[in-house]
């Protein structure tokens, strides 16, 4: 990578349990992801990919080794500092959308800005701009139950990017969507990566979805087994 890493794992291990019951979910993993990359993570069940994602999202911490964010080791961070890092530097997109059900699209999107204490007018404008970026202009006041699955995931993506995060983490973002809608969502993520420069790390179990990324990291038994760089599939469809 030409540019310095945005995020790094340095000999990261994660062990759950003790003694004979101990499970080594990650085993001395080294990885580096540069700013503006689009990286996919794959692996069978129990491979460590979800544990890696949780550590990247500061939802869990390594047992040993270090997670380095923008050159700063996070091993000395307390819970409050990890919360601030999540709030100000990370965006999350989940398989299940995780939207408030009886709330409008714009209200869902502005929620992270409420936690930051942003004034009403400014956060509403930022939320509208994020919805426009994901192609939902005119749907701002639709309630969650009035939107299709694909539109709900677009709202979730808008919510993830409204804070202008350094890193967007997407966990099976097309897992609840049909094939056509999955392609639309992946085209959107590709465009946000290319045009907005958003760094994306995505977990998926589908090879055709992983093909949209610039690089594939494959985990097996807690180890990073392969790193594959490829011309992403989206180059052929955009």
């Amino acid at each position: 990578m030409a540019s310095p890493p945005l995020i790094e794992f340095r000999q990261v291990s994660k062990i759950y349990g003790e003694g004979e019951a101990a499970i080594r979910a990650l085993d001395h993993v080294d990885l580096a992801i540069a700013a503006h990359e689009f990286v996919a993570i794959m692996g069978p069940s129990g491979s460590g990919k979800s544990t890696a994602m949780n550590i990247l999202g500061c939802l869990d911490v390594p047992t040993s080794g270090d997670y380095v964010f923008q050159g700063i080791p996070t091993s000395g961070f307390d819970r409050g500092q990890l919360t601030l890092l999540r709030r100000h530097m990370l965006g999350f997109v989940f398989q299940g959308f995780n939207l408030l059900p009886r709330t409008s699209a714009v209200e869902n999107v502005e929620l992270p800005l409420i936690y930051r204490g942003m004034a009403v007018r400014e956060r509403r404008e930022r939320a509208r701009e994020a919805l426009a970026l994901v192609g939902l202009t005119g749907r701002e006041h639709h309630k969650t139950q009035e939107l299709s699955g694909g539109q709900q995931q677009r709202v979730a993506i808008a919510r993830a990017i409204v804070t202008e995060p350094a890193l967007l983490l997407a966990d099976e973002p097309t897992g609840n969507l049909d094939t056509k809608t999955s392609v639309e969502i992946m085209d959107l993520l590709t465009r946000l990566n290319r045009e907005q420069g958003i760094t994306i790390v995505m977990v998926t179990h589908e090879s055709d979805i992983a093909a949209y990324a610039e690089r594939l990291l494959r985990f097996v038994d807690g180890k990073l087994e392969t790193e594959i760089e490829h011309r992403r599939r989206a180059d052929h469809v955009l």
Side-chain angles (χ1 to χ4, degrees), residues 114-158:
I114 294 175
Y115 295 143
R116 287 191 177 186
M118 187 176 290
V120 174
R121 179 173 295 184
E122 183 181 359
R123 73 178 185 239
R124 183 58 54 96
E125 180 61 26
R126 289 271 295 271
R128 288 179 181 275
E129 290 173 355
L131 285 167
L133 274 177
V134 301
L136 286 181
T137 299
R139 297 286 197 278
E140 295 91 343
H141 298 291
H142 284 59
K143 299 291 194 294
T144 298
Q145 61 266 31
E146 298 172 336
L147 299 172
S148 68
Q151 289 171 333
Q152 290 183 48
Q153 190 62 296
R154 286 174 183 267
V155 172
I157 293 169

Side-chain angles (χ1 to χ4, degrees), residues 58-144:
C58 296
L59 301 170
D60 204 349
V61 295
T63 303
S64 62
D66 217 338
Y67 173 33
V68 181
F69 193 98
Q70 292 185 331
I72 300 173
T74 64
S75 55
F77 284 16
D78 60 26
R79 184 175 298 179
Q81 289 171 312
L82 290 173
T83 298
L84 287 174
L85 195 155
R86 283 197 306 272
R87 185 175 299 170
H88 291 276
M89 304 300 291
L90 305 177
F92 297 87
V93 178
F94 302 99
Q95 177 177 339
F97 315 146
N98 290 2
L99 301 177
L100 299 177
R102 290 179 292 277
T103 304
S104 70
V106 72
E107 288 169 330
N108 268 286
V109 173
E110 68 182 5
L111 191 60
L113 304 178
I114 294 175
Y115 295 143
R116 287 191 177 186
M118 187 176 290
V120 174
R121 179 173 295 184
E122 183 181 359
R123 73 178 185 239
R124 183 58 54 96
E125 180 61 26
R126 289 271 295 271
R128 288 179 181 275
E129 290 173 355
L131 285 167
L133 274 177
V134 301
L136 286 181
T137 299
R139 297 286 197 278
E140 295 91 343
H141 298 291
H142 284 59
K143 299 291 194 294
T144 298

Side-chain angles (χ1 to χ4, degrees), residues 53 56-57 90-94 167-171 199-202:
M53 195 66 143
L56 290 173
L90 305 177
F92 297 87
V93 178
F94 302 99
L167 174 65
L168 178 64
L169 298 169
D171 191 359
T199 307
I200 300 175
V201 178
M202 173 184 66

